[in-house]
Amino acid sequence: MPEKKIIAVLGATGAQGGGLVRAILRDPQGGFAARAITRNADGEKARELARMGAEVVSADIDNPDGMKKAFEGAYGAYCVTFFWAHFSPEKEIAEVQAMATAAKSAALKHVIWSTLEDTRIWSPLSDPRLPTLHGKYKVPHFDGKGESNHFFSDFGVPTTFLLTSFYWDNFIGFGMGPQRGPDGKLAITLPMGDKKLPGIAAEDIGKCAYGIFKRGNEFIGKTVGITGENLTGTEMAASFSELLGQEVRYNSISPEAYRGLGFPGADDLGNMFQFKRDFNEYFCGARDASFSKSLNPELQDFRTWLKNNKTAILGTQSAAKA
Ligand SMILES: NC(=O)c1ccc[n+]([C@@H]2O[C@H](COP(=O)([O-])OP(=O)(O)OC[C@H]3O[C@@H](n4cnc5c(N)ncnc54)[C@H](OP(=O)(O)O)[C@@H]3O)[C@@H](O)[C@H]2O)c1
């Protein structure tokens, strides 16, 4: 039996990386082994991954030497950053530079970099439709990622650039699920107008990434977009209605109103949705569900994801009533 190829996975205790570690471990004949990178190897989530068969190593993406060690001896790596831990594109860019440096120093054969668009290519700073944020960004949590792509190419790291989609899990954990309005009716609120929003179960991102690693060199040097399904707000509300057995409406608000919702990062997310709405043909075109399914045959569509998460969704409903 040839030695397994080690994939070093950042964010292994989180959404994207966790999905990849579990996908690797569920396929013991697949030829890959999972190295789960965490800041806290003694934590419950890390110990659970170890019990499942992952090698667990400690590293912080803000410590370049630790990153190099974490990648040593691996065949490949899954690179992801954690924008919402600090809200700083500059920090994110420095972290990606350190990841690419570590990948080069470990001579990795295949890196998947979980990136997003640098939206300023479509909407330059001079474009008045999207307000400029922090002086030089349109969608800070996208732009820093897209701006960082070049580190991998400049350093000659064999890389697949993975464009992810909105996690449907935000309807559970991020409070975006159906809320009762002043009229007593349930509604989901998004500033997408009648345009489609590519969405995916967070767990499926890692499964798609595993599909990319399994296909060898096919996607090295390529940009690959994944989605579970591209749906309008009305279509998602109809599926929620079916699940909950009562009417859920789609409350389409303006991006300006969304930016003004007042929670941390509302301006960044308001711009993100506006970018997806205003450049919808490009954005949806870059994320294809049948291609994603070819990487991950278990890919969930929205109704399947809702059914699989009914208990958690009902939990948010009773919490909202309490
Ligand atoms: N939410 C969405 O809809 C969406 C959609 C597309 C893309 N994204 C992007 O996804 C990225 C986040 O990925 P995710 O959702 O998989 O993250 P996540 O679920 O929040 O998981 C983050 C994990 O990474 C680890 N981590 C955090 N800071 C770290 C550090 N400094 N060094 C090493 N490990 C660290 C933590 O593990 P330990 O505590 O064990 O170290 C944590 O469990 C963001 O950049 C976001 O922009 C989000």
Side-chain angles (χ1 to χ4, degrees):
M1 181 92 178
E3 229 169 76
K4 287 187 173 183
K5 295 173 174 166
I6 298 169
I7 306 293
V9 183
L10 290 167
T13 59
Q16 297 189 26
L20 173 57
V21 170
R22 285 182 285 277
I24 294 171
L25 297 177
R26 266 199 304 261
D27 185 13
Q29 305 307 320
F32 291 92
R35 178 182 291 168
I37 302 174
T38 171
R39 291 164 303 173
N40 179 13
D42 291 328
E44 186 39 47
K45 286 184 178 171
R47 282 190 298 168
E48 172 61 19
L49 294 176
R51 275 193 294 274
M52 290 167 68
E55 173 195 3
V56 173
V57 304
S58 294
D60 189 311
I61 59 169
D62 293 319
N63 174 345
D65 287 338
M67 288 278 300
K68 281 186 189 165
K69 282 206 195 88
F71 284 180
E72 262 167 29
Y75 158 86
Y78 187 76
C79 289
V80 54
T81 46
F82 313 106
F83 180 87
W84 302 110
H86 49 71
F87 292 72
S88 163
E90 288 80 13
K91 189 166 160 69
E92 199 169 31
I93 290 164
E95 289 168 345
V96 184
Q97 184 170 14
M99 285 173 194
T101 306
K104 181 182 166 59
S105 123
L108 297 185
K109 303 284 188 301
H110 192 177
V111 165
I112 297 179
W113 157 226
S114 176
T115 187
L116 287 165
E117 285 84 354
D118 182 342
T119 63
R120 297 165 296 182
I121 295 168
W122 289 265
S123 177
L125 294 186
S126 56
D127 181 350
R129 284 176 296 177
L130 285 174
T132 295
L133 303 176
H134 311 307
K136 52 180 176 169
Y137 301 102
K138 290 296 188 183
V139 182
H141 79 284
F142 271 50
D143 297 347
K145 292 182 178 68
E147 184 180 321
S148 301
N149 290 348
H150 73 92
F151 291 122
F152 294 99
S153 323
D154 293 352
F155 298 167
V157 176
T159 303
T160 302
F161 300 88
L162 180 66
L163 296 171
T164 59
S165 290
F166 173 83
Y167 305 172
W168 289 324
D169 309 65
N170 294 326
F171 287 125
I172 302 169
F174 195 62
M176 295 178 85
Q179 309 270 333
R180 239 168 252 292
D183 58 358
K185 302 257 175 17
L186 287 172
I188 52 167
T189 298
L190 289 168
M192 288 296 295
D194 61 356
K195 299 293 194 253
K196 288 183 187 288
L197 176 67
I200 192 164
E203 186 74 10
D204 277 330
I205 296 176
K207 289 182 176 180
C208 289
Y210 182 50
I212 292 171
F213 280 124
K214 281 204 296 188
R215 295 220 340 220
N217 295 340
E218 188 177 342
F219 301 113
I220 286 177
K222 303 221 162 80
T223 299
V224 161
I226 53 170
T227 177
E229 208 174 355
N230 300 345
L231 294 170
T232 63
T234 304
E235 288 166 334
M236 287 188 277
S239 294
F240 270 116
S241 303
E242 197 179 291
L243 182 86
L244 299 176
Q246 59 179 306
E247 190 191 6
V248 177
R249 293 197 292 208
Y250 168 43
N251 179 26
S252 174
I253 63 171
S254 69
E256 291 75 17
Y258 200 93
R259 284 189 280 271
L261 287 178
F263 61 85
D267 52 355
D268 190 334
L269 290 181
N271 277 12
M272 173 195 78
F273 284 120
Q274 187 175 348
F275 171 72
K276 293 178 182 184
R277 184 195 72 176
D278 293 355
F279 299 91
N280 198 252
E281 202 177 322
Y282 155 73
F283 197 80
C284 289
R287 289 157 173 81
D288 179 65
S290 44
F291 167 70
S292 310
K293 194 145 190 150
S294 75
L295 297 172
N296 164 22
E298 294 171 0
L299 186 82
Q300 297 163 77
D301 60 18
F302 188 55
R303 290 173 74 213
T304 307
W305 177 83
L306 284 176
K307 235 184 312 145
N308 290 342
N309 289 276
K310 185 169 180 178
T311 309
I313 290 161
L314 288 173
T316 66
Q317 290 305 294
S318 45
K321 263 187 246 144

